[in-house]
Amino acid sequence: MAFHNDGIDMTASDLDQEERAMIQEIKRSLSKFKKHRGNLIPILQSIQEKHSYLASAAMEMVASHLDISPSEVYGVATFYNQFRFHPPGRNQIKVCLGTACHVAGGDIILENFERKLGIKDGETTADREYSIERVACVGCCALAPVAVINDNVQGYMQPSKVEGIFLQFQIEREREERDKASE
Amino acid sequence: MIKLIVDEKEIETEEGRSVLQACLENGIFIPNLCFIKTRQQPHASCRLCFVEIEGFDRPVTSCTEKVREGLVVRTDTPPVRRLQRMAFKLLMSGHPCEAKVCPVKGGCQLIRTAKYLKVGLNPKPLEFLEREVEEEVDLTFFTYYPFRCVLCGKCVYVCREKNEHNLLTFAQRGFDTVIGFFGDIDPTDLPCHTCLACATICPTGALIPKPELTREAKSNP
Amino acid sequence: MSEQKAKKRFAPIQSESKHRMEEQKRESIPTIFLVMSTCGLASGAAETKQAFEEALSEKSIAARIVPVGCIGHCYAEPLVIIDHPTAGFPPICYYQINADRARILVRSYLEGGDPVLKYVLGAMEENDLIPAVMDFPRFSLEQRLVMEHCGLIDPDDIHQYIARGGYSGLVKALDSDPEEVINLIEESGLRGRGGAGFPSGRKWRIARTAEGDGKFVICNGDEGDPGAYMDRTILESNPHQLLEGLAICAHAVGANQSIVYVRAEYPLAVKAIQKAIKSAKELSLLGPSILGTSFSLEVSVFQGSGAFVCGEETALIQSIEGKRGMPQHRPPFPVEKGLWGRPTVVNNVKTLSAVPPIMVRGAEWFRTIGTERSPGTAIFSVVGNVKHPGLVEIAMGTSLRTLIFDVCGGIPNKKEFKAVQIGGPSGGCLPASFLDTPIDFDSLTQAGAMMGSGGMVVMDEDSCMVDVSRYFLDFTQKESCGKCTFCRMGTKHLLNILQRITKGEGRDGDLELLETLSKDIKDGSLCGLGKTAPNPVLTSLKYFREEYEAHINEKRCPALKCRALTAFYIDLEKCARGCEVCVGCCPVDAIFTTKGRKKAIDQELCVKCGECRVACPPEYDAVFKVSPPELAPVIERPPEDIKEKK
């Protein structure tokens, strides 16, 4: 299967515009949080939930809102697994490598995703369509091995199921393109 | 005053002191890297200052134990030395160095510790651990050398004490932990010009002020 | 203390809840209880629900669909209980109900009155027609206190919990002196379910007598152990029992602020607990002057950001304070000086959830369950190579054998039991000779494992103990906070050595080094994570040393698991001419056709995923796995085939 790059390459100005809009939004939402150190992690979580990652500018803004140094924010953010510092792919693939999944061959599932997309865990494809992450345990051990595709938990994964997931993505994309063309 | 017995010798100290501080002030050396006298809650991260205290079934860190009347402390038992040597070997497995090229005048704290514990500066039988970090990292006013750093955290602490907003932080986690600086701040706004507390307190020469800064700091105290 | 003030205020709420339940029963339309917790959804419960809804409206059948939490029988998901009062059957539990089966159930049972026996797990009540689930060992050997209502009530509907007796423990506590409540918990012998087993009553007493106001109670739901998910299940399936326990605790120790700390990786649990707090506040069961008494309790939810070490109480508090979750030296203990410097009780989800039943039924009753030194029940998530994986709540003192073989059905696929890993990354691997060990805090610790958070992974003969140790060290090494030398550097060394061994690069002296390092890390580390991190290595070295030796001395993995030490090959005698099944499934095109038109594996390309072995039709069964890899016969790939590939 090939991954299309056409039409979704972003130019620098697109990115700038995207970032400007993000900064505006963060400015507005920060005012809802009290200036209390205990709010640091909830603030970072809410920013990531909305924008899917923590940009440098965002961390600076949080620091000045809470009146702490940007270093402090950075130190905290880099400590926790949850926080990302680069935009992830539009489709996020998380492969569980909890104990039960490991025993059931979770690493083989991860390898299949990696091979298919040509990226390693923690990376995003060049077209920003997919990113792969390994997660410690999503708590679905009885269904091992497990992968989480865009918040949908998929139990009893097999290498052949990996193929199926991409096939589905492709079908959806083709449908979207058709819909767009017919509009 | 409180009296306690260290290595069969009676020493006197004030209430509220840690065993480590009491010993150091009475001329009894216990290896340590992360201890700061004025720090309320000890960092207790370097794991070098082990001693045996009667009543405990295994060695304890002397920086975290408060002195008590009649406490019986031993600083050189085999279990203590075993843990100290292993802690030292572990530190050295991330700190490739030779005494000859040590950037710290008179040799750094690690060289002194090695001599005291009667071990070499190599990590044997442990292997040297590779890390995916740059050899030198630019922290605006300082050059940071991750391979020299033992993450004792003294720099982070003094920075916070001296400056309302601490500029240095621990960053990342676990084996990848480094000392970091983050922020889009105009260097002339930084207090580092006149401070240098972090570089002064570093026991291993991992934070070296850039020469131009040192000149400025000296001429502009 | 005013006489039974809370009880008087609670009475009308309770009768309202009971009234609602009876009202529903009187309607006599069928009720479909559908498990909609994380594991249910992962097995397709959302599709099942949609199918039920569509089929019901198509056939214009009036029925109620009630989403419920997890009953713990994960092997049977999506699990459905149908109560069809007019059909003449008791409520029936069905297993693995996908969308197609849901449609069949609507057509055959709800419309036609035939209960479709082939999908039935069992009846929910004793009767003469269908065997009742209570008679199956998976149910009868369990004893449910904490999970009593899980899977049987809608977690979003507080009235269902109240109608089944919920919140009466809190009412009783509010009408008693806090001192009496602490005495009761002390007498019950309840020990912390987070791992170490510290007596809860003693913890509460210290917090109560600790000086300082603005005390906190924190519920620790930062379940980071890979392989344990009971806290998630309780939060998703019956959050009210936890909130009730939390409020009883806060009342007893004199705290007016509390925090439920939940992993952000559990979005459903976060939603469930938020919803539960809201509905409890609406009924004045939480919030300001609860049930008209002078006791107020604020409850907020804090989402953990994914750091295993935050399960350690001092690190957890650091993270709530917006800092890096690095453990602090104890003392001072949080009960004296915790969150924001205030006395803070940190109790696990299971500990707090065990409190309401003790409050209602008394300490003596609690002590009749379990053992002398570990009263009550234990909850395990039994996963791995067992027939019926899931959550199990059993009385302390039950043997591992009963749990694994009787409750969970034993090892599937006619394989042999090899080991059970208990307590996750802090625990250990126990061999078959320990199967008769009773499950309680002290016996498990003595055996070298530990209760931990209750993760239990059962392993059959195909699991490699060296690989399992490597897996756990990989986990702890990644999750080490990096503060202290032993944990930061020591776990990395352990991992490196184990990695070498699993790759066949082990050498003389490795095992001795593993042992010395492990002992020193245990003795030298700052916090519980480091102190217990070497347990998986130490126990497996103790009980499975010969397996390590085979890896090092013979470069052989006896369980055929370590990929660098194994190879797949196709037996040409057994391979069928012209069959292409394995070729199609190989993700790396490593399978080629030999001169005799049979198949062989290019060892250079093979990634050892094992797909060909699964795909090879059973009548040929021609794919074999061997260790060391040199045992695989060498078959050259024809040169023209290689050219073609290029």
Side-chain angles (χ1 to χ4, degrees), chain B residues 177-196:
Chain B
T177 310
V178 285
I179 298 299
F181 165 83
F182 176 81
D184 187 16
I185 304 171
D186 184 346
T188 53
D189 289 343
L190 292 174
C192 305
H193 285 283
T194 51
C195 180
L196 293 182

Side-chain angles (χ1 to χ4, degrees), chain A residues 36-37 40-41 45 75-76 79-82 97-99 102 107 111 115 134 137 139-143 153 159, chain C residues 42 74 226-227 232 263 303 305-306 319 321-325 340 383 457 467 470-471 474 478-479 563 587 611:
Chain A
H36 187 270
R37 175 69 191 253
L40 175 54
I41 290 173
Q45 285 170 336
V76 170
F79 184 86
Y80 296 98
N81 296 341
Q82 188 187 10
L97 289 176
T99 316
H102 171 75
D107 52 336
E111 262 178 35
R115 200 165 34 236
R134 49 191 284 165
C137 185
C140 294
C141 313
L143 313 173
V153 180
Chain C
C74 308
R232 190 209 73 207
R263 286 175 77 193
Q303 295 188 39
S305 286
S319 78
E321 290 183 353
K323 298 182 193 149
R324 293 164 60 84
W340 310 114
V383 297
V457 184
D467 178 64
R470 184 200 57 78
Y471 166 79
D474 184 52
K478 282 201 178 79
E479 292 295 335
R563 281 202 261 169
E611 279 288 281

Side-chain angles (χ1 to χ4, degrees), chain A residues 160-177:
Chain A
S160 50
K161 253 187 159 175
V162 173
E163 292 283 331
I165 285 166
F166 285 117
L167 207 63
Q168 211 161 352
F169 276 134
Q170 199 182 18
I171 292 167
E172 257 166 54
R173 172 131 26 125
E174 278 166 11
R175 194 179 36 219
E176 269 172 34
E177 275 165 19

Side-chain angles (χ1 to χ4, degrees), chain C residues 188-189 191 367 369-375:
Chain C
S188 76
R191 294 170 70 172
R367 292 203 83 104
I369 304 161
T371 66
E372 168 89 38
R373 293 186 30 85
S374 304

